[in-house]
Every structure is written in structure tokens, then in C-alpha cells.
Amino acid sequence: MSRRSAELFLVRADGSRPVQLTRDEAGASSPSFSPDGRLVYFVSRRSGKPNLWRIPVDGGEAERLTDWQGALGEYRLSPDGKWIALAGHDPTGEERKAKAGRRVARVVGEGVTNHNLWVLPAEPDSSGQRALRRVLDAPYHVAGFDWSPDSRYIAFEHWPDSGETSWPQSDVSEVEIASSEVKAVADRTAAEGEPRYSPDGRFLAYLRTADRASWAGEENIVLAPRQGGAHRVVPDTFDAGPSLVPGGLLPRKAMGVVVGWSADSTRLLFAGEKRTRFVLYSVAVDGLTQAVYIPKGVLHGATLNATRTHVGFVQESSNEPPEAFVMALPAGRPVQVSKINADLPKLPLGETKSICWTSPDGLEIEGLLTLPVNYLAGKRYPLLVVIHGGPMGWWNENFIGAPGIYPLATFAARGYAVLRPNIRGSGGYGKSFRFANVNDWGGNDYQDLVAGVDRLISDGVADPERMAVMGWSYGGYMTAWAITHTRRFKAAVVGAGPVNLWSMTGSTDVISFLPYYFSGEVWDKLPEYLEHSPMYHVKGVTTPTLILHGEADLRVPVSQAYELYNTLKRQGTTTKLVVYPGMAHGPDEPAAQLDVMERHLEWVERYVR
């Protein structure tokens, strides 16, 4: 199979008796227990399209609950176990034409597929059927929702439409299931979303941005009394960017995860980044934030059990692969409950450590340095500088042997030192640091990077004559910026990089992204867009440059790659462009990931050694 296929396992809280629940090539995802703990619900493509299934915890055949032909989004079981709420949309006429091979044209901006809210009985009626009912009669897009403790209401986040740039206009409303009556909860000019009821039903927590929602991310948790009264802002979290649901694809939801309420409705548990770690916190509704658990590495996927006495999560570190853990609350000792990676070969890994340095303007910058396997102090090694995307992303202490874009463990095994800098604009260091590169791409963020390289040369780690730079998305931008401003690097790999900010603004699917970061539209600030574009400085580049890009990339269209490639080619610069058919903004299939990693390694081996 070319795609990843995940299966579900059931493990006791003490780590004993792991049982595989599902076995199907179509895989399974989004598992959820029924309130009585007897069933596990999940999403699978066994029927060709994503549909909702369930299986008894003691094994047996899985039962399909939906026959969904459109797009299926989030689902949630009601606390009383009687209903399943789900978001999704029916296939449009255009989608049916496309599936039948009859569509010969597509109108841009039309056929937007908004998700509505639906409810389905958990159990069939006397005729063996489940009647699916549409709850809302509204033109907006439902992005997320939560059941009230009494199973009578659903609070939901909604956007004007499902477009990638509509989230800044999100609001929160509540619908009564029986009557479909809707009332607004939060509809200010700020973006509000991700509602979560307190267990006692007194409060509805949600996220609220500043009055002008920003792509860099700035949110607070707000408590709305359900019986009326003023909404109250919970004290700031460390990074001013929590998220009330696990995961999330938009930048504003990338800063952290609120796991849920405590059983007594007095605290919210959330996981958020702090420097290169991902920490579990507890914030009181009227008090301060406290760390509940600080791992030696990062944790993710944190989820509370039904009684809110334990939290489960995945934990990993630079030299330990991810495994599942369970921890008693309020602050217990984590117990490892999986050994899925126990049989991995124990290959030597280079030591990864956090280092700090000072940028020319005095700002402290942190990064992760992975040393070569069998590193000898005093010996200089070839250095690879790897820049993250975002720019509000950040490097953390995840397992360096994991699949992805960069073969970090292989780099170390081949004798390279690897620096992953968290330059200004990164998440994990607070709001002011994350906003510090607004109107300044290629400015002080680039100086942060250069200062880190100089630090390693000064320390005797890096060989200044054998260095390479690489990055993906914003990291690809910074890589292109580096080769247009210095000849220090002997090789570069630009992954899905926006190299021409002027043309990028007119072709991306997130048309408000760069106008936010440059405080205005391109027609009002053309000199700034040009000055901060690597393409404006491309004359005279000599660095051998590999360019990798997905052909189906809407975030950073592949035309950006062709602009850089053709310009370098016409100047006689050593360059190669690799385009991946069907791939969007990053490699999400194992075969594509492997090819991307191998090409990074081959390029630096050729030009840096």
C-alpha cells in the first residue's frame, strides 16, 4: 500500500494485555469509546468512502453505522450514549460529475463544500434503520462542536464558508437538538471557536483571538456562563495560543491543545509548547497556570478518560520513539502502556541537545543541535542547517529517527552535525517572539540563523567550508533567502518555498496570509513584497540548489518552484527541480516521504562532502 494504514489497539491502563481491535487494509482512525465503555467507534474507508463504524471492545465484527457519500468530518457521541453528532456534507453535483469522469471544467470559488451538523441514533429502530437528521438549516460551515452534559444541546464553531481564509470570521453558537433552535454564544469581530462544556454544565469554554485574528496565532480561553452574565477571560497561557481540541490544521490552532475539564469543573487541562518541549498544564478558571507534567521530550494526542481521572498521551524524545502512556490526575506518574516500537533496531543515534545563542540585536535564540554519531570534541564536522516551516512552527524534541522530510538520524550516522534553529517567529517562546518577524521576513530572522551558524563555528563544531542549508515552506523561503545573500553554503534544498512573495500572494489558497505578515496588500506595499522576496535578489547565486515541490500544492503553488528553477538554470547555477504529482504542500505518503529524505541525503553527500 502507498498510504499509511493505521489499526486500532486496546490496551489496559496498566499496560497489560494489548489487543488488536481492527484488521483491514483500509485502516481505522478517530477512535472513541461509547459512554458505557462497551464499544469503540471509529472512521474507516472500508466502504470506499470514509464512514463511521463501531466494534465491541471484546472483539467481533465491526458494524457500519453510516452510508456517507460526501465528506465526513468530526463526530461525537452524546453523553447519554443515545446519539451521534457528526459534521459533513453531501456530495455536490460537481463532485458527482468528477467521480463519474464527466466534469470538463471547474469554476474557482464555486462549489464550496460547507459541513452541516447531523445527528444519528446510536441504536437502530424496530425496522433496523437509523434515521439521519440534519440539525441546522444555515449556509455556514460547521468546523467543530461539543455536546452539553445533559445531551440536549450542541455548541458549535461556524465559519461563513469552508474556505481556507474564512476562519478569522468564525463564531460560536448553540443549538437545541429537539427544536433545532439556534442562539449565538460569541459573535464578536474576533475569531471564536472550539467550544467545550464544563462537566457541571455551568460554563461553555471557547477560544477567542484578538479583535483582528492573526495568522501568527494569539488566543485566550474564555468562559461563558450558560445562565447569562459577562464572559470571562482565563489568565494567559505561556504561549498565548492554546487549542481546545486535539490536532487542528490551521496556524491559529497549532500552539497547544486543551485536553478537557477536570471532573469538578474547576480546571482546564491543556498541553502546550514551551521552548523545545511540549508540556501538560493545568489552568484554574480563576487562577494561575501550573505544570502538571514536564516530559523529557514532547507529548501529543492527550485525551481524558470518561471519568476524567486519567489522561492518555503519546510521548517521545530525541532518542526514544513514540509510545503510549497513561497518567493519573491531578499529577501522577506516567505508565507506559504500549511497546509498539520495542522491536526497532537499536541503531546508534547522535546526541541531540538544546543550545542558545544571542542574535545581533540581543535577542536570545534557541535551537536543537544533533551531533554526529561517535562525535569527538575538537573535531570539525560538516554542518546542515534545517529550517522549520510556518513561520510559527517550531522544532521540538521529537524522535530523530521518525519518518518525515529530513533523515535526521541518517545525517548524524553519516557524520553530519545538524542545527535546527527556532528563529524569531517560531512558536513555543511566547507571543512577542512569535510576532517578531512581522514585516521582517529575511531580516532579523535570517540574522538569528547566521548567528547560530557562527556560534557552532566558534565552538569548533562546524567546518565553515562544509555547510548546507535546507527547509520546507517558510523554511524553503529562508533557504532561498540564504543562497541569495551568502555563498557560505555549499549546497541548498528548497522545499515548497514561497520565493516570490508578489506572485505567491496572487496564487495561494490562503490569500490573507502574506498581507497579514506584511501589514497590507501587495498593490499598496509592492516595494516591501519585492525587497523581501528571494527572487528579487537571485542574480549571481552560485550555490548548488535542489528544489522539491508537490505538483498539487495550493498553499505554495508549484509555479514558485519553476520561477526559482528557471532563473537559476538561465544563470548556469547547478540546480535540479523534482516535482511530485498529486502531492499537496508536503509528503504524506510513505513512498513520497522516503524519496524526499533520500534526495536530501544524496544532494548534501554530493556537494558538501
Side-chain angles (χ1 to χ4, degrees):
M1 295 178 63
S2 60
R3 291 185 177 273
R4 287 194 179 95
S5 179
E7 297 294 352
L8 302 183
F9 289 78
L10 188 68
V11 185
R12 298 176 68 90
D14 61 4
S16 63
R17 295 178 57 193
V19 176
Q20 185 170 351
L21 280 181
T22 62
R23 298 177 187 273
D24 193 280
E25 287 188 356
S29 63
S30 305
S32 178
F33 281 104
S34 61
D36 61 11
R38 295 188 304 107
L39 299 164
V40 173
Y41 290 75
F42 62 95
V43 175
S44 177
R45 291 178 174 268
R46 299 179 183 199
S47 58
K49 297 284 290 186
N51 268 286
L52 187 62
W53 299 68
R54 71 182 184 185
I55 189 170
V57 295
D58 55 2
E61 291 296 321
E63 175 190 10
R64 191 173 79 172
L65 305 180
T66 61
D67 184 18
W68 202 262
Q69 298 302 311
L72 183 65
E74 180 181 341
Y75 78 91
R76 281 181 170 269
L77 277 71
S78 63
D80 63 10
K82 296 180 180 179
W83 298 94
I84 307 162
L86 55 90
H89 76 84
D90 286 329
T92 64
E94 288 296 308
E95 287 176 311
R96 291 190 179 96
K97 287 180 182 179
K99 184 176 181 180
R102 299 196 306 269
R103 185 172 70 179
V104 296
R106 178 175 63 88
V107 180
V108 175
E110 293 187 7
V112 176
T113 51
N114 292 342
H115 283 197
N116 208 290
L117 187 64
W118 312 70
V119 291
L120 180 76
E123 301 303 329
D125 59 22
S126 58
S127 65
Q129 302 298 313
R130 292 180 174 87
L132 184 67
R133 179 168 70 90
R134 179 170 167 168
V135 178
L136 301 173
D137 183 18
Y140 42 61
H141 171 68
V142 176
F145 56 90
D146 191 38
W147 283 96
S148 64
D150 59 9
S151 301
R152 295 178 56 202
Y153 299 89
I154 291 179
F156 60 99
E157 172 186 348
H158 52 92
W159 307 356
D161 57 57
S162 61
E164 295 289 351
T165 58
S166 294
W167 66 264
Q169 304 169 65
S170 62
D171 294 316
V172 173
S173 296
E174 186 179 57
V175 60
E176 184 180 40
I177 300 303
S179 66
S180 291
E181 181 180 345
V182 177
K183 69 174 183 179
V185 174
D187 57 359
R188 295 175 30 157
T189 55
E192 300 106 350
E194 301 183 9
R196 288 294 177 266
Y197 289 95
S198 61
D200 61 11
R202 294 177 56 226
F203 293 102
L204 185 63
Y206 64 91
L207 291 186
R208 185 173 72 198
T209 69
D211 284 341
R212 181 193 174 204
S214 69
W215 282 92
E218 175 192 3
E219 292 181 304
N220 287 103
I221 300 170
V222 180
L223 299 180
R226 296 189 66 212
Q227 300 305 316
H231 294 201
R232 182 161 51 86
V233 177
V234 173
D236 276 352
T237 59
F238 170 78
D239 209 38
S243 176
L244 289 173
V245 296
L249 298 177
L250 295 175
R252 73 184 182 107
K253 299 178 182 177
M255 310 308 163
V257 175
V258 171
V259 181
W261 287 84
S262 62
D264 60 4
S265 299
T266 63
R267 303 182 312 282
L268 283 161
L269 194 70
F270 74 94
E273 60 257 51
K274 186 171 185 178
R275 304 181 75 93
T276 60
R277 300 283 178 87
F278 210 78
V279 179
L280 196 63
Y281 294 97
S282 174
V283 55
V285 296
D286 55 359
L288 300 177
T289 299
Q290 294 180 323
V292 174
Y293 174 56
I294 303 175
K296 292 182 179 179
V298 296
L299 59 86
H300 46 90
T303 306
L304 284 171
N305 65 341
T307 56
R308 304 173 192 268
T309 59
H310 290 73
V311 59
F313 51 83
V314 173
Q315 180 175 308
E316 61 184 298
S317 65
S318 298
N319 60 355
E320 293 291 339
E323 295 287 356
F325 288 76
V326 170
M327 186 178 76
L329 295 173
R333 190 180 181 92
V335 176
Q336 183 175 333
V337 296
S338 75
K339 296 181 180 179
I340 199 71
N341 292 299
D343 294 331
L344 280 180
K346 303 300 181 184
L347 300 176
L349 298 171
E351 177 192 1
T352 297
K353 59 182 180 179
S354 169
I355 64 169
C356 294
W357 61 89
T358 303
S359 200
D361 67 350
L363 188 64
E364 183 182 79
I365 306 298
E366 185 177 27
L368 292 172
L369 172 64
T370 299
L371 295 169
V373 173
N374 300 322
Y375 169 75
L376 296 175
K379 178 182 176 180
R380 292 189 181 272
Y381 292 87
L383 176 68
L384 308 181
V385 182
V386 185
I387 311 166
H388 65 66
M392 72 295 295
W394 99 113
W395 291 120
N396 57 47
E397 297 173 40
N398 60 346
F399 181 51
I400 66 169
I405 294 175
Y406 308 104
L408 300 175
T410 304
F411 285 154
R414 294 289 182 94
Y416 295 95
V418 182
L419 175 65
R420 290 176 286 161
N422 282 333
I423 56 181
R424 70 189 67 199
S426 303
Y429 298 85
K431 173 187 170 182
S432 61
F433 190 93
R434 194 166 61 250
F435 281 64
N437 68 341
V438 173
N439 295 311
D440 194 36
W441 284 26
N444 283 319
D445 49 2
Y446 174 65
Q447 296 304 320
D448 297 343
L449 184 154
V450 171
V453 172
D454 289 341
R455 156 72 188 277
L456 293 181
I457 294 172
S458 175
D459 288 350
V461 174
D463 182 346
E465 300 302 319
R466 294 186 294 164
M467 299 193 301
V469 61
M470 60 192 68
W472 202 274
S473 194
Y474 166 78
Y477 165 89
M478 287 299 300
T479 299
W481 185 266
I483 64 174
T484 58
H485 286 77
T486 184
R487 297 187 178 183
R488 300 177 70 180
F489 298 105
K490 304 305 178 185
V493 185
V494 176
V499 297
N500 185 340
L501 302 186
W502 180 15
S503 60
M504 162 75 175
T505 303
S507 56
T508 180
D509 67 338
V510 286
I511 56 176
S512 64
F513 182 74
L514 287 174
Y516 163 74
Y517 267 101
F518 288 91
S519 302
E521 299 290 351
V522 66
W523 51 82
D524 292 324
K525 307 196 73 174
L526 181 58
E528 288 87 345
Y529 279 78
L530 292 177
E531 179 60 32
H532 291 274
S533 294
M535 286 296 294
Y536 190 69
H537 307 277
V538 77
K539 183 179 179 180
V541 170
T542 61
T543 306
T545 304
L546 173 64
I547 306 167
L548 307 174
H549 215 113
E551 198 168 42
D553 193 345
L554 299 179
R555 191 61 34 87
V556 180
V558 71
S559 56
Q560 295 287 302
Y562 280 101
E563 286 192 44
L564 180 60
Y565 172 72
N566 289 328
T567 305
L568 295 180
K569 195 75 173 175
R570 286 177 60 82
Q571 296 185 75
T573 306
T574 299
T575 185
K576 179 186 289 187
L577 171 61
V578 181
V579 175
Y580 295 86
M583 190 176 91
H585 192 47
D588 59 356
E589 295 186 2
Q593 285 189 344
L594 180 60
D595 189 84
V596 166
M597 290 191 290
E598 288 177 340
R599 291 186 186 275
H600 276 94
L601 181 62
E602 291 168 359
W603 197 257
V604 299
E605 290 274 75
R606 181 181 304 177
Y607 294 105
V608 177
R609 282 290 183 196

